[in-house]
Structures are given as C-alpha cells and as structure tokens.
Amino acid sequence: MHSLGMRRWVVPSALLASACVRWATGLGSYSGAWRHGTPPMYGDYEAQRHWMELTIHLPTQLWYKYDLQYWGLDYPPLTAYVSWLCGILGSHINPSWFALDESRGIESPNSKIYMRATVFALDYMVYIPALYLFSRTWHATRSKRTQNLAFLVLLLQPALILIDNGHFQYNSVMLGFAILAINCFISGYDLLGAVFFVLSLGFKQMALYYAPAVGSYLIGKCLHLGPKEGTKLFVRLGVVTVASFVALFLPFLPPFSPLSAIMDPITRIFPFNRGIFEDKVANFWCASNVLMKWKFKASAATLVRISTLLTALGFAPAVVAAIASWIRLGQSQPQFSTVVTDEDKDKDAKAKMDTAVAVPVTLQPVLLHALLTSAMSFFLFSFQVHEKTILVPLMPLTLLMSTAPQDSTGFKIGALANNVGVFSMWPLLNRDGLAVPYIALTLLWNRLVGHNPFRIRQSTLFDLFTAAVYLGCITLHVLEILFSPPNRYPDLYPVLNVLLSTPIFVLTWLWSIKSLLESYWVIGPLGFGESSAHHPSTTDSRAPSEIETPVTEKGSSVVGSIGRERGLRARSLGYSTAMAKGGSKRLSKAGSVDEVPE
C-alpha cells in the first residue's frame, strides 16, 4: 500500500483486518461450551460471566467470599471493577443474563454475542492503542513502512487471539497496560509508567512476572541520576505506586471496610494451598515430574520454597543487568539530560524538559530483555503456572521480534517461541474445540511475518534445529489423530507436548540472558555508549557482531531519544538502515527505495 501511495490507509486496514480475525475467532467454541447436548463444563467463559453477575448484585465486601466453590473471584480488584461495568451494561440489555444464581450456565446466542463484544471492545480500548503507541515510540526514527509492518505483526499475534477471543479471557487488558508502561518508561515518563504498571498488576496478578525487571530498571535509573535527583525520583515512584495500589484496594480498606477485609482478595489472588501445578504445562515442574513425581517427594510448603528459590535465581540476571546497565551508562555519560535547542535554553524550558528524560537508545533493549528473562523465569519455575501464562513472556519477546531483521537470531527465536507457545496450548485449545482457529491463525501469522522454517536454502544449524522442532510438532499432531493413547497412559500426548515445548522455552530464557549480557557490554566506554554517529543501534536484537553500521550524514540531526541524536538506526524486519533526515532516501536490502521517517 505504501508503493501505491495509500500510506494513510495502512493502519485503518490493519485495524479492520484485526477486527475481522478477532470476531471470526469468537464465532467458534470457547472454554466450557455446550457439546453434544451435555451441560456446560463451566470453564473460563462462565467464570467471567459469573463475576459480572456477582459484582453487580453483591456488596464489595462479599465479592471475594461468595460461593467460592463455584468460580469464586480470584483476580485483583481491577478485574472485578471491569466485570462490574460489563455486568451493568449487559443488565441494561437483558437482566436475565446476569441474574444472581439463576443465570448460571446461561449460553443464549445474544448473551454470547455480548460477552464476545466485551473482549473485542477492551482489545480496542487498551491493548491495540498500546501496540500502536509502541510501534511509534520504539520505532520513532524509522520509516512509517517499518512502523506499520511492526504494528501489524504485533496486532495479529496468534496466541493472545486464541486465548482471549477463542478460549475466552481478558489477558489483553493486563498486557495492554504493561505495554503502555513500557512506552512511558522509554519516553521518560516514569511516574505515568508506574501507574500503568500498577493497573496491569491490578487487573491480573500474572503481571508480577514483570515486576523484578521493572523495579530494578527504575532503581537503576534512580542510581544513575545521582543522590539528589535519584532520591527525588525514587520517592515520587514510591508515593505514586503506593497511592495507585491504595486506590485499587480502597473498598477493602478503612473506613469502607475493616482492615482484615484486605486479606479476602489477597488470599484469593495467591492460591498457595493448591499444588505445584494442575494441568500439563510446559515448564520445569511438569516436564521433570515425568521422572521426579514432585507431589509425592515433597510437601506443598517445601515446593513453594524451592520454586521461589529457582524463580529468583532465574530472574536474577534481569535484575543485575537492568541496574548495572544504568550505572555503566553513567560512567560513559555522566551528564545525562535531554538536549535543549537554541530556542529552549532558558531555565524554565529546561526544567520542563528534564521532567521527561527519554531513555538512551542503548538502554531500550535492556528493558525488554529484562522483562522477557523475568517473565520466562516465572513461567518455567514458579508455583501454580497455567498453560495460558506463556502469554506473559511472549509479549516482550514479540515486541523484540518486531525490531529484528528476518535473518537475525532474535527474529528466529521470536518466531519459534511464538509458534511453540501456541503449540504448547494445543491440549487446552483442542479441549475447547478451537482446532480450526489454531491452524488458521498460526499459518496466517507466519505468512505475515515471512517465516518459513522449511526453507532449507543457505540454512544455518539453528534453522535446521527449528525445522526439526516444527517437524516434531506436526508428527505429534498426526499421531494424535491416527492413534488413541493407551489406557495406561491417557495423558501421553499432553506429556509429549510438554517435553517438546519446555526445551524451547528454556532456550528462549537462556538466549534472553545472553542478549542481556550483550546489551550491557555495548553500553559504556568499551561498547557503543560513547558519542559517535557511527555506532550501531542496539535496538536491534542481534548480537553486536551481527549488527551492521548504519549510514549517516555528517552533522545530521535526528529527533528522538539521546541515542538517536547520533544517527543511530536499526534495521527492522528486513529493512535496511535509514539515512539522516533532510529528504534523503535509502535503498532497502531488496534494492527498493524506502523512505526516511517524516
């Protein structure tokens, strides 16, 4: 569309295509749907509908107490508030959809349309605007073509669509607030980013997977700014974070409720009384349970302690790298502040600008890799992980993938982990009757990003490994279709799925740690932190040795963050680097002209 002069229609067309894909997925089955004339199995669809029912009929103090054996509310208060709002709106259309107790298991056609519409609406209110802002913030110095392509890749990620619009959940709200927080941190609006991150935590507790990375990243920035400015930022972040949590939990605090009422949501949010895992999930505990049989070898309390230790060790590199990168940046750039133009040299203008210090381009990959390392560590080693939780580490991985060339390791890891992430949820999706959307969305997204793992021309060893993994996934599907599992091993295929998927997630976690170390070393006097227009941009997720030096013009001016002022530009999704601003054009790898950002 860019080549046809229809640039303005790219984003509206992408939004329309995304809407069609999401709504078409919603026309299929879902968690707990009626099948073969049997009563509902009361899955996540009924849980979400039931929460709307109880929040509009019961006082706040009973939300986390009422009939807990029947899908008791077990998400943080923001989920309850959104359920209340959706229930109020739905009751105005048809009160019978949310009649207390009497509406349990209701699956009328109109009620299902309304429930699907709530997911659709929240997607376009929170998640999709966050993706659009990310494509404009992270790719600020790149062409509109690159920004739009990255937006489309993120928009149609199959795993989230299958779970939210198919299986039925609202994970996009949690992930959307987390991406908004990332956008704010990149742009230097740390207090606003802290508010968005609290909203993400307040919607689903799985956002805690990002907390070590976010906390250490902000602490590192406080240390970087020095004793005076750093202390100010630390205090402000603490006040804003505490105030945001208090606002979310206010109905459960004095004077609205006794202080003991705060334990009602907390005990429901953190269910340590459950086992180490329930369903088969592609993490360390379920994979190793094939041999170890953890539930028989250790008590639940012991497993909680062990999982906590392993999780902490797993995300420790993210914490260390996020803090150390800021400190290393300070050694090479002790005077870290925004650039003041000739028109803004007066003190008042400078003070206003200093309130929103953009993050240097060399530090931006550290944030996303730290988020990925932390989230994947929680997924692999923490207590009570569900198969759907793979969506949490897939989010920063896909954001990183949107910046990477197709021939880079980052792109290949991102595509592999996304596809295996969808594959790891196959037992759940198959149980929900979502086989057709599973196949269609996976093929559509791979076609869109240009990923063909079976293209063997000039293949590397990793390409051959990837092809073998996909061949294993296909073989397992064929075996499941042709042969029923033996009576002695009814979970044979889900276990084989776990054993095939878990090593890929471990590989992704290790790659993220490696990339964190590389991102750290390219900062500072011995890396790419010095002022030079000829240093490669580290927003590219390749290793430093893989990154090509961008072409710039002497004295060129590039608007953006501190690193981008030096002319730093990274190739993204196969497009070559841009030349400096001023009407110049550049040739892409294919030889076509790609425009410089306006």
Side-chain angles (χ1 to χ4, degrees), residues 70-117:
Y70 185 83
W71 291 110
L73 183 59
D74 55 5
Y75 282 160
L78 187 55
T79 290
Y81 304 147
V82 171
S83 298
W84 174 83
L85 179 60
C86 293
I88 289 292
L89 295 176
S91 294
H92 282 296
I93 301 174
N94 190 333
S96 65
W97 295 345
F98 305 105
L100 187 62
D101 295 336
E102 297 177 2
S103 61
R104 293 186 178 184
I106 186 172
E107 291 184 318
S108 64
N110 289 336
S111 68
K112 288 190 285 187
I113 291 175
Y114 176 76
M115 293 294 291
R116 291 295 196 187

Side-chain angles (χ1 to χ4, degrees), residues 86-398:
C86 293
I88 289 292
L89 295 176
S91 294
H92 282 296
I93 301 174
N94 190 333
S96 65
W97 295 345
F98 305 105
L100 187 62
D101 295 336
E102 297 177 2
S103 61
R104 293 186 178 184
I106 186 172
E107 291 184 318
S108 64
N110 289 336
S111 68
K112 288 190 285 187
I113 291 175
Y114 176 76
M115 293 294 291
R116 291 295 196 187
T118 59
V119 178
F120 187 87
L122 288 169
D123 269 354
Y124 278 81
M125 289 172 63
V126 181
Y127 181 68
I128 292 177
L131 292 181
Y132 180 81
L133 289 175
F134 177 85
S135 69
R136 266 49 186 173
T137 302
W138 188 271
H139 303 276
T141 63
R142 305 181 194 179
S143 68
K144 285 293 189 292
R145 181 178 183 177
T146 298
Q147 294 176 5
N148 291 337
L149 185 56
F151 177 55
L152 190 60
V153 169
L154 297 169
L155 195 60
L156 294 177
Q157 186 208 32
L160 182 63
I161 296 176
L162 285 168
I163 293 300
D164 279 15
N165 302 94
H167 173 84
F168 201 94
Q169 281 194 337
Y170 297 93
N171 296 287
S172 63
V173 180
M174 172 194 67
L175 296 177
F177 282 131
I179 297 172
L180 287 173
I182 293 171
N183 295 337
C184 291
F185 294 146
I186 291 172
S187 303
Y189 297 100
D190 301 315
L191 300 183
L192 183 58
V195 172
F196 280 127
F197 187 63
V198 170
L199 291 177
S200 181
L201 287 167
F203 193 83
K204 277 198 172 183
Q205 58 268 39
M206 279 78 78
L208 278 170
Y209 289 14
Y210 302 136
V214 171
S216 57
Y217 182 83
L218 294 176
I219 289 173
K221 185 171 185 178
C222 292
L223 295 174
H224 170 78
L225 291 176
K228 183 178 179 180
E229 296 301 322
T231 302
K232 286 183 180 178
L233 178 59
F234 183 81
V235 171
R236 290 171 181 171
L237 286 170
V239 170
V240 168
T241 301
V242 171
S244 301
F245 274 116
V246 169
L248 284 176
F249 284 88
L250 195 59
F252 306 95
L253 294 171
F256 303 99
S257 300
L259 186 59
S260 58
I262 191 64
M263 295 306 299
D264 294 332
I266 290 177
T267 53
R268 292 292 299 167
I269 292 170
F270 300 105
F272 289 117
N273 56 333
R274 300 179 187 177
I276 188 71
F277 64 86
E278 291 180 9
D279 293 332
K280 300 296 185 295
V281 55
N283 71 351
F284 166 79
W285 295 109
C286 194
S288 61
N289 190 68
V290 174
L291 298 176
M292 296 299 296
K293 306 300 179 185
W294 294 105
K295 295 181 180 179
F296 300 103
K297 289 183 177 295
S299 64
T302 301
L303 291 175
V304 168
R305 287 192 288 269
I306 296 174
S307 68
T308 302
L309 176 62
L310 290 178
T311 305
L313 292 174
F315 68 66
V319 173
V320 174
I323 296 176
S325 296
W326 277 109
I327 296 174
R328 187 172 176 84
L329 179 69
Q331 295 172 352
S332 62
Q333 296 177 344
Q335 302 298 326
F336 176 59
S337 61
T338 55
V339 172
V340 182
T341 62
D342 293 336
E343 295 79 11
D344 296 325
K345 287 185 177 180
D346 59 277
K347 294 182 179 180
D348 291 337
K350 187 177 185 302
K352 291 179 181 179
M353 295 181 70
D354 283 343
T355 60
V357 180
V359 172
V361 70
T362 50
L363 259 175
Q364 292 179 7
V366 174
L367 175 58
L368 287 187
H369 280 296
L371 290 169
L372 172 57
T373 302
S374 178
M376 191 61 82
S377 173
F378 273 93
F379 178 80
L380 288 172
F381 304 115
S382 64
F383 197 85
Q384 263 295 311
V385 174
H386 295 275
E387 60 270 63
K388 301 181 288 293
T389 314
I390 190 60
L391 295 174
V392 182
L394 285 185
M395 185 272 285
L397 178 63
T398 312

Side-chain angles (χ1 to χ4, degrees), residues 549-562:
T549 303
V551 180
T552 60
E553 293 180 347
K554 185 177 181 180
S556 63
S557 173
V558 181
V559 179
S561 66
I562 289 178

